[in-house]
Coordinates of all heavy atoms in Angstrom, one line a residue:
M643 N 0.8 -1.1 0.0 CA 0.0 0.1 0.0 C 0.9 1.3 0.0 O 0.5 2.2 -0.7 CB -1.0 0.0 1.2 CG -1.9 1.0 1.2 SD -3.0 0.8 -0.2 CE -4.4 1.6 0.4
I644 N 2.0 1.2 0.7 CA 2.8 2.4 0.8 C 3.5 2.7 -0.6 O 3.4 3.9 -1.0 CB 4.0 2.2 1.8 CG1 3.4 2.1 3.2 CG2 5.0 3.2 1.7 CD1 4.4 1.6 4.3
P645 N 3.9 1.7 -1.4 CA 4.4 2.2 -2.7 C 3.3 2.8 -3.6 O 3.6 3.8 -4.2 CB 4.9 0.8 -3.4 CG 5.1 -0.1 -2.2 CD 4.1 0.3 -1.1
A646 N 2.1 2.2 -3.5 CA 1.1 2.8 -4.3 C 0.7 4.2 -3.9 O 0.4 5.1 -4.6 CB -0.3 1.9 -4.3
L647 N 0.7 4.4 -2.5 CA 0.4 5.8 -2.1 C 1.5 6.8 -2.5 O 1.3 7.9 -2.8 CB 0.2 5.8 -0.5 CG -1.0 5.0 0.0 CD1 -0.9 5.0 1.5 CD2 -2.2 5.8 -0.5
G648 N 2.8 6.3 -2.4 CA 3.9 7.1 -2.8 C 3.9 7.5 -4.3 O 4.1 8.6 -4.6
L649 N 3.4 6.6 -5.1 CA 3.3 6.8 -6.6 C 2.1 7.9 -6.8 O 2.3 8.8 -7.4 CB 2.9 5.6 -7.3 CG 2.7 5.7 -8.8 CD1 4.0 6.1 -9.5 CD2 2.2 4.3 -9.4
V650 N 1.0 7.7 -6.2 CA 0.0 8.6 -6.4 C 0.3 10.1 -5.9 O 0.1 11.1 -6.5 CB -1.4 8.2 -5.6 CG1 -2.4 9.2 -5.6 CG2 -1.9 6.9 -6.3
F651 N 1.0 10.0 -4.7 CA 1.5 11.3 -4.1 C 2.4 12.0 -5.1 O 2.4 13.2 -5.3 CB 2.2 11.1 -2.7 CG 2.8 12.4 -2.2 CD1 1.9 13.4 -1.6 CD2 4.1 12.5 -2.1 CE1 2.4 14.6 -1.0 CE2 4.6 13.8 -1.7 CZ 3.9 14.7 -1.1
G652 N 3.4 11.3 -5.6 CA 4.4 11.8 -6.5 C 3.8 12.3 -7.8 O 4.1 13.4 -8.3
I653 N 2.7 11.6 -8.3 CA 2.1 12.1 -9.5 C 1.3 13.4 -9.3 O 1.5 14.4 -10.0 CB 1.2 11.0 -10.1 CG1 1.9 9.9 -10.7 CG2 0.3 11.6 -11.1 CD1 1.1 8.7 -11.1
V654 N 0.6 13.4 -8.2 CA -0.1 14.7 -7.7 C 0.8 15.8 -7.5 O 0.6 16.9 -8.1 CB -1.0 14.4 -6.6 CG1 -1.7 15.7 -6.0 CG2 -2.1 13.5 -6.9
A655 N 1.9 15.6 -6.7 CA 2.9 16.7 -6.6 C 3.5 17.2 -7.8 O 3.7 18.3 -8.1 CB 3.9 16.2 -5.6
G656 N 3.8 16.2 -8.8 CA 4.4 16.6 -10.0 C 3.3 17.5 -10.8 O 3.7 18.5 -11.6
V657 N 2.1 17.1 -10.8 CA 1.1 17.8 -11.7 C 0.8 19.2 -10.9 O 0.8 20.3 -11.7 CB -0.3 17.1 -11.8 CG1 -1.4 17.8 -12.3 CG2 0.0 15.8 -12.6
L658 N 0.8 19.2 -9.8 CA 0.5 20.6 -9.0 C 1.7 21.5 -9.1 O 1.5 22.7 -9.3 CB 0.0 20.3 -7.7 CG -1.3 19.6 -7.4 CD1 -1.6 19.4 -5.9 CD2 -2.4 20.4 -8.1
L659 N 2.8 20.9 -8.9 CA 4.1 21.9 -8.7 C 4.7 22.1 -10.1 O 5.4 23.2 -10.3 CB 5.1 21.2 -7.9 CG 4.7 21.0 -6.4 CD1 5.8 20.2 -5.7 CD2 4.4 22.3 -5.7
Q660 N 4.5 21.3 -11.1 CA 5.1 21.5 -12.5 C 6.6 21.9 -12.4 O 7.0 23.0 -12.9 CB 4.2 22.5 -13.2 CG 2.7 22.0 -13.5 CD 2.0 22.9 -14.3 OE1 2.5 24.1 -14.5 NE2 0.8 22.5 -14.7
P661 N 7.4 21.0 -11.9 CA 8.8 21.4 -11.8 C 9.4 21.5 -13.2 O 9.1 20.7 -14.1 CB 9.4 20.2 -10.9 CG 8.5 19.1 -11.2 CD 7.1 19.6 -11.4
E662 N 10.5 22.3 -13.3 CA 11.2 22.4 -14.5 C 12.4 21.5 -14.4 O 13.2 21.5 -13.3 CB 11.7 23.8 -14.8 CG 10.5 24.6 -15.2 CD 11.2 26.1 -15.8 OE1 12.2 26.1 -16.2 OE2 10.4 27.0 -15.5
V663 N 12.7 20.7 -15.5 CA 13.8 19.9 -15.5 C 14.9 20.5 -16.2 O 14.7 20.9 -17.4 CB 13.4 18.4 -16.2 CG1 14.6 17.5 -16.2 CG2 12.3 17.8 -15.5
P664 N 16.2 20.6 -15.7 CA 17.3 21.2 -16.3 C 17.6 20.4 -17.7 O 17.4 19.2 -17.8 CB 18.5 21.1 -15.4 CG 17.9 20.7 -14.1 CD 16.5 20.1 -14.3
L665 N 18.0 21.1 -18.6 CA 18.4 20.5 -19.8 C 19.3 19.3 -19.8 O 19.1 18.3 -20.5 CB 19.0 21.6 -20.9 CG 17.9 22.5 -21.5 CD1 18.6 23.6 -22.3 CD2 16.9 21.9 -22.3
W666 N 20.3 19.4 -19.0 CA 21.3 18.4 -18.9 C 20.7 17.1 -18.3 O 21.2 16.0 -18.5 CB 22.5 18.8 -18.1 CG 22.2 19.1 -16.7 CD1 21.9 20.4 -16.2 CD2 22.2 18.3 -15.6 NE1 21.6 20.2 -14.8 CE2 21.8 19.0 -14.4 CE3 22.4 16.9 -15.5 CZ2 21.7 18.3 -13.1 CZ3 22.4 16.3 -14.2 CH2 22.1 17.0 -13.1
L667 N 19.6 17.3 -17.6 CA 19.0 16.1 -17.0 C 17.9 15.4 -17.7 O 17.5 14.3 -17.5 CB 18.4 16.6 -15.6 CG 17.9 15.5 -14.5 CD1 19.1 14.6 -14.2 CD2 17.3 16.0 -13.4
Q668 N 17.5 16.1 -18.8 CA 16.2 15.6 -19.5 C 16.5 14.3 -20.2 O 15.5 13.5 -20.3 CB 15.9 16.8 -20.5 CG 15.2 17.9 -19.9 CD 14.8 19.0 -21.0 OE1 15.0 18.8 -22.1 NE2 14.1 20.1 -20.4
P669 N 17.7 14.0 -20.8 CA 17.8 12.6 -21.3 C 17.7 11.5 -20.3 O 17.4 10.3 -20.7 CB 19.2 12.6 -22.0 CG 19.6 14.1 -22.0 CD 18.9 14.8 -21.0
Y670 N 18.0 11.7 -19.2 CA 18.0 10.7 -18.0 C 16.7 10.6 -17.4 O 16.4 9.5 -16.8 CB 19.2 10.9 -17.1 CG 20.5 11.2 -17.8 CD1 21.0 12.6 -17.8 CD2 21.1 10.2 -18.4 CE1 22.2 12.7 -18.5 CE2 22.3 10.6 -19.2 CZ 22.8 11.8 -19.1 OH 24.0 12.0 -19.8
L671 N 15.9 11.6 -17.4 CA 14.7 11.5 -16.6 C 13.7 10.4 -17.1 O 13.2 9.6 -16.2 CB 13.9 12.9 -16.7 CG 12.7 12.9 -15.8 CD1 13.1 12.7 -14.4 CD2 12.0 14.3 -16.1
P672 N 13.4 10.2 -18.3 CA 12.4 9.1 -18.7 C 13.0 7.7 -18.2 O 12.2 6.9 -17.8 CB 12.4 9.2 -20.3 CG 12.8 10.6 -20.6 CD 13.8 11.0 -19.6
I673 N 14.2 7.5 -18.3 CA 14.8 6.3 -17.9 C 14.7 6.0 -16.4 O 14.4 5.0 -15.9 CB 16.3 6.1 -18.4 CG1 16.5 6.2 -19.9 CG2 16.9 4.8 -17.9 CD1 15.7 5.2 -20.7
A674 N 14.9 7.2 -15.7 CA 14.8 7.1 -14.3 C 13.4 6.8 -13.8 O 13.2 6.1 -12.9 CB 15.4 8.4 -13.7
V675 N 12.5 7.5 -14.5 CA 11.0 7.1 -14.2 C 10.7 5.7 -14.4 O 9.9 5.1 -13.6 CB 10.1 8.2 -15.0 CG1 8.7 7.7 -15.0 CG2 10.4 9.6 -14.5
I676 N 11.1 5.1 -15.6 CA 10.9 3.7 -15.8 C 11.5 2.8 -14.8 O 10.9 1.8 -14.3 CB 11.3 3.4 -17.2 CG1 10.4 4.2 -18.3 CG2 11.3 1.9 -17.5 CD1 10.9 3.9 -19.7
A677 N 12.7 3.2 -14.3 CA 13.4 2.4 -13.3 C 12.6 2.5 -12.0 O 12.4 1.5 -11.3 CB 14.8 2.8 -13.2
A678 N 12.2 3.7 -11.7 CA 11.3 3.8 -10.5 C 10.1 3.1 -10.5 O 9.7 2.5 -9.5 CB 11.2 5.3 -10.2
L679 N 9.4 3.1 -11.6 CA 8.2 2.4 -11.8 C 8.4 0.9 -11.6 O 7.5 0.2 -11.1 CB 7.5 2.7 -13.2 CG 6.7 4.0 -13.2 CD1 6.3 4.2 -14.7 CD2 5.5 4.0 -12.3
D680 N 9.5 0.4 -12.1 CA 9.9 -1.0 -12.0 C 10.0 -1.3 -10.5 O 9.4 -2.3 -10.0 CB 11.3 -1.3 -12.7 CG 11.7 -2.7 -12.3 OD1 10.9 -3.7 -12.5 OD2 12.9 -2.8 -11.9
A681 N 10.6 -0.4 -9.7 CA 10.7 -0.8 -8.3 C 9.3 -0.6 -7.5 O 9.0 -1.5 -6.7 CB 11.6 0.4 -7.6
V682 N 8.5 0.3 -8.0 CA 7.1 0.4 -7.5 C 6.3 -0.8 -7.6 O 5.7 -1.4 -6.8 CB 6.4 1.7 -7.8 CG1 5.0 1.7 -7.5 CG2 7.2 3.0 -7.3
F683 N 6.3 -1.3 -8.9 CA 5.4 -2.5 -9.3 C 6.0 -3.7 -8.6 O 5.3 -4.6 -8.2 CB 5.4 -2.7 -10.8 CG 4.3 -1.8 -11.5 CD1 4.8 -0.8 -12.3 CD2 3.1 -1.9 -11.1 CE1 3.8 0.1 -12.8 CE2 2.0 -0.9 -11.7 CZ 2.6 -0.1 -12.6
G684 N 7.3 -3.8 -8.5 CA 8.0 -4.9 -7.7 C 7.6 -4.8 -6.3 O 7.4 -5.9 -5.6
A685 N 7.4 -3.6 -5.6 CA 7.0 -3.5 -4.3 C 5.5 -3.9 -4.1 O 5.2 -4.7 -3.1 CB 7.2 -2.2 -3.8
V686 N 4.7 -3.5 -5.0 CA 3.2 -4.0 -5.0 C 3.2 -5.4 -5.1 O 2.4 -6.2 -4.3 CB 2.5 -3.3 -6.1 CG1 1.1 -3.8 -6.1 CG2 2.5 -1.7 -5.9
R687 N 4.0 -6.1 -6.0 CA 4.0 -7.5 -6.0 C 4.5 -8.2 -4.7 O 3.9 -9.1 -4.3 CB 4.8 -7.9 -7.2 CG 5.0 -9.5 -7.3 CD 5.9 -9.9 -8.4 NE 6.0 -11.3 -8.6 CZ 6.6 -11.9 -9.5 NH1 7.4 -11.2 -10.4 NH2 6.6 -13.2 -9.7
A688 N 5.4 -7.6 -4.2 CA 6.0 -8.1 -2.9 C 5.0 -8.0 -1.7 O 4.9 -8.9 -0.9 CB 7.3 -7.4 -2.5
V689 N 4.2 -6.9 -1.7 CA 3.1 -6.7 -0.8 C 2.1 -7.9 -1.0 O 1.6 -8.5 0.1 CB 2.5 -5.3 -0.9 CG1 1.2 -5.3 -0.1 CG2 3.4 -4.3 -0.3
L690 N 1.7 -8.1 -2.2 CA 0.7 -9.2 -2.4 C 1.2 -10.6 -2.1 O 0.5 -11.4 -1.8 CB 0.2 -9.2 -3.8 CG -0.6 -7.8 -4.2 CD1 -0.8 -7.8 -5.6 CD2 -1.8 -7.8 -3.4
D691 N 2.5 -10.8 -2.3 CA 3.2 -12.1 -1.9 C 3.5 -12.2 -0.5 O 3.8 -13.2 0.0 CB 4.5 -12.2 -2.7 CG 4.3 -12.5 -4.2 OD1 3.2 -12.9 -4.6 OD2 5.3 -12.3 -5.0
G692 N 3.3 -11.1 0.3 CA 3.6 -11.1 1.7 C 5.1 -11.1 2.1 O 5.3 -11.5 3.2
I693 N 5.9 -10.6 1.2 CA 7.4 -10.5 1.5 C 7.8 -9.1 1.3 O 9.1 -9.0 1.2 CB 8.1 -11.5 0.5 CG1 7.9 -11.1 -0.9 CG2 7.7 -12.9 0.8 CD1 8.7 -11.8 -1.9
F694 N 7.1 -8.1 1.5 CA 7.5 -6.7 1.3 C 8.3 -6.3 2.5 O 8.1 -6.7 3.7 CB 6.4 -5.7 1.3 CG 6.7 -4.3 1.2 CD1 7.2 -3.8 0.0 CD2 6.6 -3.4 2.3 CE1 7.5 -2.5 -0.1 CE2 7.1 -2.1 2.2 CZ 7.5 -1.6 1.0
N695 N 9.5 -5.6 2.2 CA 10.4 -5.1 3.1 C 10.6 -3.7 2.8 O 11.2 -3.5 1.7 CB 11.7 -5.9 3.2 CG 12.6 -5.5 4.3 OD1 12.9 -4.3 4.5 ND2 13.4 -6.5 4.8
D696 N 10.5 -2.7 3.7 CA 10.6 -1.3 3.3 C 12.0 -0.9 3.0 O 12.3 -0.2 2.1 CB 10.0 -0.5 4.4 CG 10.6 -0.6 5.8 OD1 11.2 -1.8 6.1 OD2 10.4 0.2 6.6
K697 N 13.1 -1.6 3.7 CA 14.4 -1.3 3.4 C 14.8 -1.7 1.9 O 15.5 -1.1 1.3 CB 15.4 -1.9 4.4 CG 15.2 -1.3 5.8 CD 16.1 -2.0 6.8 CE 15.8 -1.4 8.2 NZ 16.7 -2.1 9.2
V698 N 14.3 -2.9 1.7 CA 14.6 -3.4 0.3 C 14.1 -2.5 -0.7 O 14.6 -2.3 -1.8 CB 14.1 -5.0 0.2 CG1 14.2 -5.4 -1.2 CG2 14.9 -5.8 1.1
F699 N 12.8 -2.0 -0.4 CA 12.1 -1.3 -1.5 C 12.9 0.0 -1.5 O 13.1 0.5 -2.7 CB 10.7 -0.8 -1.0 CG 10.0 0.2 -1.8 CD1 9.7 0.0 -3.1 CD2 9.8 1.5 -1.3 CE1 9.1 1.0 -3.8 CE2 9.3 2.5 -2.0 CZ 8.9 2.2 -3.3
V700 N 13.3 0.7 -0.6 CA 14.0 2.1 -0.8 C 15.4 1.8 -1.5 O 15.7 2.6 -2.4 CB 14.3 2.6 0.7 CG1 15.2 3.9 0.5 CG2 12.9 3.0 1.3
I701 N 16.0 0.7 -1.1 CA 17.5 0.4 -1.8 C 17.2 0.1 -3.2 O 17.8 0.6 -4.1 CB 18.1 -0.7 -1.0 CG1 18.6 -0.1 0.4 CG2 19.3 -1.1 -1.9 CD1 19.1 -1.2 1.3
S702 N 16.2 -0.7 -3.5 CA 15.8 -1.1 -4.8 C 15.5 0.2 -5.7 O 15.8 0.3 -6.8 CB 14.7 -2.1 -4.9 OG 14.2 -2.4 -6.1
F703 N 14.6 1.0 -5.1 CA 14.1 2.2 -5.8 C 15.3 3.0 -6.2 O 15.5 3.5 -7.3 CB 13.2 3.0 -4.9 CG 12.5 4.1 -5.5 CD1 11.4 4.0 -6.2 CD2 13.2 5.4 -5.5 CE1 10.7 5.2 -6.8 CE2 12.5 6.5 -6.0 CZ 11.2 6.4 -6.8
L704 N 16.2 3.4 -5.2 CA 17.2 4.3 -5.4 C 18.3 3.6 -6.4 O 18.8 4.3 -7.3 CB 17.9 4.7 -4.2 CG 17.1 5.6 -3.2 CD1 17.8 5.8 -1.9 CD2 16.7 6.9 -3.9
S705 N 18.6 2.4 -6.2 CA 19.7 1.8 -7.0 C 19.3 1.6 -8.4 O 20.0 1.8 -9.3 CB 20.2 0.4 -6.4 OG 19.1 -0.5 -6.4
N706 N 17.9 1.2 -8.6 CA 17.4 1.1 -9.9 C 17.5 2.4 -10.8 O 17.9 2.5 -11.9 CB 15.9 0.8 -10.0 CG 15.7 -0.7 -9.9 OD1 16.6 -1.5 -9.6 ND2 14.4 -1.1 -9.9
V707 N 17.2 3.5 -10.1 CA 17.2 4.9 -10.8 C 18.8 5.2 -11.0 O 19.0 5.6 -12.2 CB 16.5 6.0 -9.9 CG1 16.8 7.4 -10.4 CG2 15.1 5.7 -9.8
V708 N 19.5 5.0 -10.0 CA 20.9 5.4 -10.3 C 21.6 4.6 -11.3 O 22.3 5.0 -12.2 CB 21.7 5.3 -8.9 CG1 23.2 5.5 -9.1 CG2 21.1 6.5 -8.0
V709 N 21.3 3.2 -11.3 CA 22.0 2.4 -12.2 C 21.5 2.6 -13.6 O 22.3 2.7 -14.6 CB 21.9 0.8 -11.9 CG1 22.3 0.0 -12.9 CG2 22.6 0.6 -10.6
A710 N 20.2 2.9 -13.8 CA 19.7 3.1 -15.2 C 20.2 4.3 -15.7 O 20.5 4.5 -16.9 CB 18.1 3.1 -15.1
A711 N 20.2 5.4 -14.9 CA 20.7 6.7 -15.4 C 22.2 6.6 -15.7 O 22.6 7.2 -16.7 CB 20.5 7.8 -14.2
F712 N 23.0 5.8 -14.9 CA 24.4 5.7 -15.2 C 24.6 4.9 -16.5 O 25.5 5.2 -17.2 CB 25.1 5.0 -14.0 CG 26.5 4.7 -14.3 CD1 27.5 5.7 -14.2 CD2 26.9 3.4 -14.6 CE1 28.8 5.6 -14.6 CE2 28.4 3.2 -15.0 CZ 29.2 4.2 -14.9
I713 N 23.8 3.9 -16.8 CA 23.9 3.2 -18.1 C 23.7 4.2 -19.2 O 24.4 4.1 -20.2 CB 23.1 1.9 -18.1 CG1 23.5 1.0 -17.1 CG2 22.8 1.5 -19.5 CD1 22.6 -0.2 -16.9
V714 N 22.7 5.0 -19.1 CA 22.4 6.0 -20.2 C 23.5 6.9 -20.3 O 23.9 7.3 -21.4 CB 21.1 6.6 -20.0 CG1 20.7 7.6 -21.0 CG2 19.9 5.5 -20.1
F715 N 24.1 7.4 -19.2 CA 25.2 8.4 -19.2 C 26.3 7.7 -19.9 O 27.0 8.3 -20.7 CB 25.5 8.8 -17.8 CG 26.7 9.5 -17.6 CD1 26.7 11.0 -18.1 CD2 27.9 9.1 -17.2 CE1 27.9 11.7 -17.9 CE2 29.1 9.7 -17.1 CZ 29.1 11.1 -17.4
L716 N 26.7 6.5 -19.5 CA 27.8 5.9 -20.1 C 27.6 5.6 -21.5 O 28.6 5.9 -22.4 CB 27.9 4.4 -19.4 CG 29.1 3.7 -19.8 CD1 30.4 4.4 -19.3 CD2 29.1 2.3 -19.1
G717 N 26.3 5.3 -21.9 CA 26.1 5.3 -23.4 C 26.3 6.6 -24.2 O 26.9 6.6 -25.2
D718 N 25.8 7.7 -23.5 CA 26.1 8.9 -24.1 C 27.6 9.2 -24.3 O 28.0 9.7 -25.3 CB 25.5 10.0 -23.3 CG 24.0 10.1 -23.4 OD1 23.4 9.4 -24.3 OD2 23.3 10.7 -22.6
Q719 N 28.3 8.8 -23.3 CA 29.8 9.1 -23.2 C 30.5 8.2 -24.4 O 31.5 8.7 -25.0 CB 30.5 8.9 -21.9 CG 30.0 9.7 -20.9 CD 30.2 11.2 -21.1 OE1 31.3 11.6 -21.5 NE2 29.1 12.0 -21.0
L720 N 29.9 7.1 -24.6 CA 30.5 6.2 -25.7 C 29.9 6.5 -27.0 O 30.4 5.8 -27.9 CB 30.2 4.7 -25.2 CG 31.0 4.2 -24.0 CD1 30.4 2.8 -23.6 CD2 32.4 4.3 -24.2
G721 N 29.0 7.3 -27.1 CA 28.4 7.6 -28.4 C 27.2 6.7 -28.8 O 26.8 6.6 -30.0
V722 N 26.8 5.9 -28.0 CA 25.7 4.8 -28.2 C 24.5 5.0 -27.2 O 23.9 4.0 -26.9 CB 26.3 3.4 -28.1 CG1 27.2 3.1 -29.3 CG2 26.9 3.1 -26.8
G723 N 24.3 6.3 -26.9 CA 23.2 6.5 -25.8 C 22.0 6.0 -26.1 O 21.2 5.4 -25.3
S724 N 21.5 6.1 -27.5 CA 20.1 5.7 -27.7 C 20.0 4.2 -27.7 O 18.9 3.6 -27.3 CB 19.8 6.2 -29.2 OG 20.6 5.7 -30.2
Q725 N 21.1 3.4 -28.1 CA 21.1 1.9 -28.1 C 21.0 1.5 -26.6 O 20.1 0.6 -26.3 CB 22.2 1.4 -28.8 CG 22.2 1.5 -30.3 CD 22.9 2.9 -30.7 OE1 23.1 3.8 -29.9 NE2 23.2 2.9 -31.9
L726 N 21.7 2.0 -25.8 CA 21.7 1.7 -24.3 C 20.4 2.1 -23.7 O 19.8 1.3 -22.9 CB 22.8 2.2 -23.5 CG 24.2 1.4 -23.8 CD1 25.3 2.1 -23.0 CD2 24.0 0.0 -23.3
S727 N 19.9 3.3 -24.1 CA 18.5 3.6 -23.5 C 17.5 2.6 -23.9 O 16.7 2.3 -23.1 CB 18.2 5.1 -24.0 OG 19.0 6.0 -23.6
T728 N 17.5 2.3 -25.2 CA 16.5 1.2 -25.7 C 16.7 -0.1 -24.9 O 15.7 -0.7 -24.5 CB 16.8 1.0 -27.2 OG1 16.6 2.2 -27.9 CG2 15.7 0.0 -27.7
G729 N 17.8 -0.5 -24.7 CA 18.1 -1.7 -23.9 C 17.6 -1.6 -22.5 O 16.9 -2.5 -22.0
V730 N 17.8 -0.6 -21.8 CA 17.2 -0.3 -20.5 C 15.8 -0.3 -20.5 O 15.1 -0.9 -19.6 CB 17.8 0.9 -19.9 CG1 17.1 1.3 -18.6 CG2 19.4 0.8 -19.7
V731 N 15.2 0.3 -21.4 CA 13.7 0.4 -21.5 C 13.2 -1.0 -21.7 O 12.1 -1.4 -21.0 CB 13.2 1.4 -22.6 CG1 11.8 1.2 -22.9 CG2 13.6 2.8 -22.2
V732 N 13.7 -1.8 -22.7 CA 13.2 -3.1 -22.9 C 13.4 -4.0 -21.7 O 12.4 -4.6 -21.3 CB 14.0 -3.8 -24.1 CG1 13.8 -5.2 -24.2 CG2 13.7 -3.0 -25.4
V733 N 14.5 -4.0 -21.1 CA 14.7 -4.8 -19.9 C 13.7 -4.5 -18.7 O 13.1 -5.3 -18.1 CB 16.2 -4.8 -19.3 CG1 16.3 -5.4 -17.9 CG2 17.2 -5.4 -20.4
L734 N 13.7 -3.2 -18.4 CA 12.8 -2.8 -17.4 C 11.3 -2.9 -17.8 O 10.5 -3.2 -16.8 CB 13.1 -1.2 -17.0 CG 14.3 -1.1 -16.3 CD1 14.7 0.4 -16.1 CD2 14.5 -1.8 -15.0
G735 N 11.0 -2.7 -19.0 CA 9.6 -2.9 -19.4 C 9.2 -4.4 -19.3 O 8.1 -4.7 -18.8
V736 N 10.1 -5.4 -19.6 CA 9.8 -6.7 -19.3 C 9.6 -7.0 -17.9 O 8.6 -7.7 -17.5 CB 10.9 -7.6 -19.9 CG1 10.8 -9.1 -19.4 CG2 11.0 -7.6 -21.4
R737 N 10.5 -6.4 -17.0 CA 10.2 -6.6 -15.6 C 8.9 -6.0 -15.1 O 8.1 -6.6 -14.3 CB 11.4 -6.0 -14.7 CG 12.6 -6.7 -14.9 CD 13.7 -6.1 -14.2 NE 13.5 -5.4 -13.0 CZ 14.0 -5.9 -11.8 NH1 14.7 -7.0 -11.7 NH2 13.6 -5.4 -10.7
I738 N 8.5 -4.8 -15.6 CA 7.3 -4.2 -15.3 C 6.1 -5.1 -15.6 O 5.2 -5.3 -14.8 CB 7.2 -2.8 -15.8 CG1 8.1 -1.8 -15.1 CG2 5.8 -2.2 -15.7 CD1 8.3 -0.4 -15.7
F739 N 6.1 -5.5 -16.9 CA 4.9 -6.4 -17.4 C 4.8 -7.7 -16.6 O 3.8 -8.2 -16.3 CB 5.1 -6.6 -18.8 CG 4.5 -5.4 -19.7 CD1 5.4 -4.6 -20.3 CD2 3.1 -5.1 -19.8 CE1 5.1 -3.5 -20.9 CE2 2.7 -4.0 -20.4 CZ 3.6 -3.2 -21.0
S740 N 6.0 -8.2 -16.2 CA 6.0 -9.4 -15.5 C 5.4 -9.2 -14.1 O 4.6 -10.0 -13.5 CB 7.4 -9.9 -15.2 OG 7.5 -11.1 -14.4
N741 N 5.8 -8.1 -13.4 CA 5.2 -7.8 -12.1 C 3.7 -7.4 -12.3 O 2.8 -7.9 -11.4 CB 6.0 -6.5 -11.5 CG 7.3 -6.9 -11.0 OD1 7.5 -8.1 -10.5 ND2 8.3 -6.0 -11.0
V742 N 3.3 -6.7 -13.3 CA 1.9 -6.5 -13.5 C 1.1 -7.7 -13.7 O 0.0 -7.9 -13.2 CB 1.7 -5.4 -14.6 CG1 0.2 -5.3 -15.1 CG2 2.2 -4.1 -14.3
A743 N 1.6 -8.7 -14.4 CA 1.0 -10.0 -14.6 C 0.9 -10.7 -13.3 O -0.2 -11.3 -13.0 CB 1.8 -10.8 -15.5
S744 N 1.8 -10.7 -12.5 CA 1.7 -11.4 -11.1 C 0.7 -10.6 -10.2 O -0.1 -11.3 -9.5 CB 3.1 -11.2 -10.5 OG 3.0 -11.9 -9.2
I745 N 0.7 -9.3 -10.4 CA -0.3 -8.5 -9.5 C -1.7 -8.8 -10.1 O -2.6 -9.1 -9.2 CB -0.1 -6.9 -9.7 CG1 1.2 -6.7 -8.9 CG2 -1.3 -6.2 -9.1 CD1 1.8 -5.3 -9.2
R746 N -1.9 -8.9 -11.3 CA -3.2 -9.3 -11.9 C -3.6 -10.7 -11.3 O -4.8 -10.9 -11.1 CB -3.1 -9.3 -13.4 CG -4.5 -9.6 -14.0 CD -4.5 -9.8 -15.6 NE -3.7 -11.1 -15.7 CZ -2.6 -11.3 -16.4 NH1 -2.0 -10.3 -17.1 NH2 -2.1 -12.5 -16.6
R747 N -2.7 -11.7 -11.4 CA -3.0 -13.0 -10.9 C -3.5 -12.9 -9.4 O -4.3 -13.7 -9.1 CB -1.8 -14.0 -11.1 CG -1.7 -14.4 -12.5 CD -0.7 -15.5 -12.7 NE 0.7 -15.0 -12.4 CZ 1.6 -14.5 -13.2 NH1 1.2 -14.3 -14.4 NH2 2.8 -14.2 -12.7
H748 N -2.8 -12.2 -8.7 CA -3.2 -12.1 -7.2 C -4.5 -11.5 -7.1 O -5.3 -12.0 -6.3 CB -2.0 -11.3 -6.5 CG -0.9 -12.1 -6.0 ND1 -0.9 -12.8 -4.9 CD2 0.3 -12.0 -6.5 CE1 0.2 -13.3 -4.8 NE2 1.0 -12.9 -5.6
L749 N -4.9 -10.4 -7.8 CA -6.1 -9.7 -7.6 C -7.3 -10.3 -8.3 O -8.3 -10.3 -7.6 CB -5.9 -8.3 -8.1 CG -4.9 -7.4 -7.5 CD1 -4.8 -6.0 -8.1 CD2 -5.2 -7.2 -6.0
F750 N -7.1 -11.1 -9.4 CA -8.2 -11.6 -10.1 C -8.2 -13.1 -10.2 O -9.1 -13.6 -10.8 CB -8.3 -11.0 -11.5 CG -8.4 -9.5 -11.6 CD1 -7.4 -8.7 -12.0 CD2 -9.6 -8.9 -11.0 CE1 -7.5 -7.3 -12.1 CE2 -9.7 -7.5 -11.0 CZ -8.7 -6.7 -11.5
N751 N -7.1 -13.7 -9.5 CA -7.0 -15.1 -9.6 C -7.1 -15.6 -11.0 O -7.7 -16.7 -11.3 CB -8.0 -15.8 -8.7 CG -8.0 -15.5 -7.3 OD1 -6.9 -15.3 -6.7 ND2 -9.1 -15.4 -6.6
A752 N -6.4 -15.0 -11.9 CA -6.5 -15.2 -13.4 C -5.0 -15.2 -13.8 O -4.2 -14.4 -13.5 CB -7.2 -14.5 -14.2

């Protein structure tokens, strides 16, 4: 429940505050958001499985965002930023859909 509330709170705060993202950070923000969503959906799945741990969630959330942003940064430095960004999106997308499928099975027994 805590991850879902955090997600809702973050979305509402973003819509109301409309923060400006610096130009140098803009290429990394979409990847960081996808990495954060992966951690949130993983946390929801862990809650439904009865194995949620708040410390694991916080560490997973922060490390996912940092590692994904670092991979994109490294790709930019090597001149292959778009390819590595695509790879990160694919990998995290597969994880997100896997977690959503598990959540669906828990909620709807299907």
